[in-house]
Amino acid sequence: ADHTARVLEVVRLRRGKRVAVVSENDALVAAVREGARRLGLRCHELYRVEDLDLWRDQRVASLAADVVVSRLEAVKGFEFDTVIACDLSDGVVPRPGTPPEENWRAAAVVYAALTRARDELILTYVGRPSIFLEAMTEYVETHDGAVGDGLAGWRTGRNVHP
């Protein structure tokens, strides 16, 4: 709950910017979507390539959603002012049971989502960070913004490219 509230606060503070909240945690994506609606934020969901096409085809005024929510792979090919990649936690990304020799596939999906950020990239994890965040440690600014309920850290970075 605190993780969702923190993400929504960041979205609210960036109102007027193109913000995407992406995660492989479906429950978190749903909570952000519902929280955004409760706060009166316009929310657009992207889950399939067809959703991207629908969004692109809308008139410019319709593209003014306060937040786009999606799974990591759905934002490929799009650009946002801010991308908040949520719950990049151990046990979430890569998915449990993924053979180590297949981690490159999950890493490619994460990389594609992270490179959708034009100005600001915010990475979150709960508990322990995923192996992918651990690999990026030297390239990101770390802010321990623990707010309870197991939220262990809040990582942000601008123009994060190794």
Side-chain angles (χ1 to χ4, degrees):
D2 287 337
H3 192 174
T4 303
R6 181 77 189 261
V7 169
L8 288 168
E9 178 62 15
V10 171
V11 170
R12 190 187 64 73
L13 291 172
R14 283 151 182 82
R15 198 169 203 158
K17 304 277 186 186
R18 292 172 52 108
V19 179
V21 175
V22 298
S23 180
E24 291 300 290
N25 179 335
D26 293 332
L28 179 62
V29 169
V32 168
R33 180 185 61 239
E34 293 309 311
R37 288 184 178 145
R38 277 193 307 276
L39 292 172
L41 299 171
R42 292 166 299 176
C43 185
H44 188 85
E45 299 174 60
L46 298 176
Y47 291 102
R48 303 164 301 155
V49 172
E50 294 82 15
D51 295 332
L52 286 170
D53 293 338
L54 282 173
W55 197 40
R56 283 184 183 124
D57 291 341
Q58 294 177 28
R59 301 208 180 276
V60 174
S62 300
L63 290 174
D66 294 309
V67 62
V68 169
V69 295
S70 79
R71 298 195 52 145
L72 294 170
E73 70 273 5
V75 294
K76 184 177 178 182
F78 243 82
E79 182 178 78
F80 301 91
D81 297 324
T82 299
V83 170
I84 306 170
C86 298
D87 205 5
L88 295 176
S89 308
D90 185 42
V92 176
V93 179
R95 291 199 179 280
T98 302
E101 64 273 10
E102 292 295 314
N103 281 347
W104 69 270
R105 292 180 196 275
V109 169
V110 170
Y111 176 80
L114 301 186
T115 60
R116 303 301 88 211
R118 189 185 70 200
D119 300 323
E120 183 178 33
L121 172 62
I122 299 171
L123 312 170
T124 75
Y125 65 94
V126 176
R128 282 191 45 194
S130 87
I131 58 173
F132 304 139
L133 276 185
E134 289 294 332
M136 290 185 248
T137 302
E138 68 182 276
Y139 301 107
V140 296
E141 298 173 25
T142 302
H143 302 275
D144 290 326
V147 293
D149 288 337
L151 181 62
W154 188 261
R155 294 173 178 230
T156 66
R158 292 188 178 272
N159 302 319
V160 178
H161 298 285

